[in-house]
Amino acid sequence: MKTIAYAAKTDIGRMREENQDAVGKFPSDSLDMNTPKGQLFVVADGMGGHAGGREASRLAVETIGRVYFAADLPPIESLRLAFREANQAIYDYSVNHPQFYGMGTTCVALVVQNSSVWAAHIGDSRLYRITSDGIEQLTRDHSKVAEMVRRGILTAEEARWHPERSMLYRAMGVKQGIEFDLLNSIPLGTDDRFLLCTDGLTSYVEPEELHDIVMHFPLQAACDRLVDLANSRGGHDNITVQIVHVKGQNSFLKTLFRTR
């Protein structure tokens, strides 16, 4: 018998004038994993001048939540459709509001349904799996600097402070038609925690620190501590954290990345 719990926190940080991150959990009034669509968790990090980033991340979270549960499709296909519809919604909004031209957002979404876990991702917000054995980044940053690290051009330490570290080659809403990663599906252990977060956290907190805090504190306290730690080290960006804790029977599934 599996059980699920979650907590979240979003914070403006120390330097920004507004919070352009967004976080959501759907349905808002249930923790039942055994329904056909299960539980959906979403984090987005908006970008764009004025209020463009804030609107983009809000649209992403709200559209994904609505389309995912409205679709009469399996979870992974519902996620695929939800990401495509969210991308179009943001793009259309920017066309109809020229002051927001170029608005966009990163997005990472996690679904827990029965014994399976699914995810979709675009940009540099991240999904980690955390267990007693360690921490594993399940997403791949769609940034210029991350690609240079993967190709061996930069070291991870050089990438950390590279002047172009925030440049994305994929983001939601900046054009019609997008490519994003689907994770189908993630193997569940008997005691797994999943961390969804924006780069306002990962720019300042090391993976080992993420692991230690998430493993050793209650969920909401862990969210609070992670945000406080990022702020104590500068807080130059908005910070959003969502932790999902799944306990129960093992499920033996393979992880498969597919780009669509």
Side-chain angles (χ1 to χ4, degrees):
M1 181 72 178
K2 291 185 179 299
T3 62
I4 188 170
Y6 78 100
K9 183 167 185 175
T10 185
D11 188 82
I12 194 172
R14 295 279 178 86
M15 305 296 290
R16 296 296 177 91
E17 295 182 357
E18 66 175 5
N19 191 348
Q20 296 193 344
D21 288 357
V23 59
K25 184 268 179 190
F26 307 90
S28 61
D29 58 351
S30 170
L31 286 174
D32 187 356
M33 295 180 292
N34 298 313
T35 61
K37 289 300 185 69
Q39 299 291 308
L40 170 66
F41 305 88
V42 190
V43 163
D45 179 358
M47 56 192 188
H50 306 293
R54 185 182 69 229
E55 289 301 312
S57 63
R58 178 190 64 80
L59 276 171
V61 171
E62 292 180 358
T63 304
I64 289 168
R66 173 175 51 80
V67 173
Y68 175 82
F69 282 97
D72 186 18
L73 295 167
I76 195 66
E77 297 303 325
S78 297
L79 267 182
R80 190 199 317 272
L81 178 63
F83 263 55
R84 288 175 175 168
E85 291 291 325
N87 180 77
Q88 190 65 45
I90 296 166
Y91 179 80
D92 289 345
Y93 192 92
S94 70
V95 170
N96 293 321
H97 300 80
Q99 70 271 31
F100 297 150
Y101 177 80
M103 67 190 288
T105 186
T106 71
C107 190
V108 58
L110 173 73
V111 172
V112 182
Q113 192 271 330
N114 197 1
S115 295
S116 299
V117 175
W118 323 91
H121 160 254
I122 187 169
D124 62 357
S125 292
R126 294 179 180 177
L127 172 65
Y128 291 92
R129 178 175 54 188
I130 296 172
T131 69
S132 58
D133 293 329
I135 182 169
E136 177 186 8
Q137 183 178 333
L138 297 174
T139 52
R140 300 173 293 187
D141 292 356
H142 300 143
S143 68
K144 178 178 179 180
V145 167
E147 187 63 26
M148 293 170 74
V149 172
R150 287 191 284 269
R151 294 182 181 182
I153 299 170
L154 293 176
T155 67
E157 185 58 31
E158 288 170 336
R160 190 175 183 84
W161 305 113
H162 195 280
E164 297 180 332
R165 62 187 178 276
S166 297
M167 291 186 61
L168 302 178
Y169 62 84
R170 289 185 195 170
M172 181 178 284
V174 296
K175 63 180 180 179
Q176 296 193 70
I178 56 170
E179 293 183 345
F180 51 89
D181 288 345
L182 295 173
L183 285 74
N184 178 28
S185 49
I186 303 166
L188 280 171
T190 57
D191 189 18
D192 286 347
R193 293 164 175 84
F194 295 93
L195 171 65
L196 299 83
C197 59
T198 61
D199 67 337
L201 177 72
T202 53
S203 294
Y204 295 99
V205 184
E206 298 292 340
E208 296 78 9
E209 295 173 310
L210 299 176
H211 175 268
D212 290 346
I213 291 172
V214 171
M215 286 298 299
H216 293 110
F217 291 91
L219 297 185
Q220 192 60 59
C223 291
D224 295 342
R225 283 178 175 266
L226 289 171
V227 168
D228 289 346
L229 186 56
N231 273 325
S232 72
R233 294 175 178 175
H236 288 274
D237 201 354
N238 308 144
I239 310 155
T240 298
V241 181
Q242 191 169 47
I243 305 171
V244 182
H245 186 192
V246 184
K247 296 181 67 175
Q249 182 181 358
N250 273 312
S251 177
F252 300 98
L253 300 169
K254 294 181 180 179
T255 300
L256 174 65
F257 281 88
R258 296 186 296 175
T259 300
R260 291 293 184 269

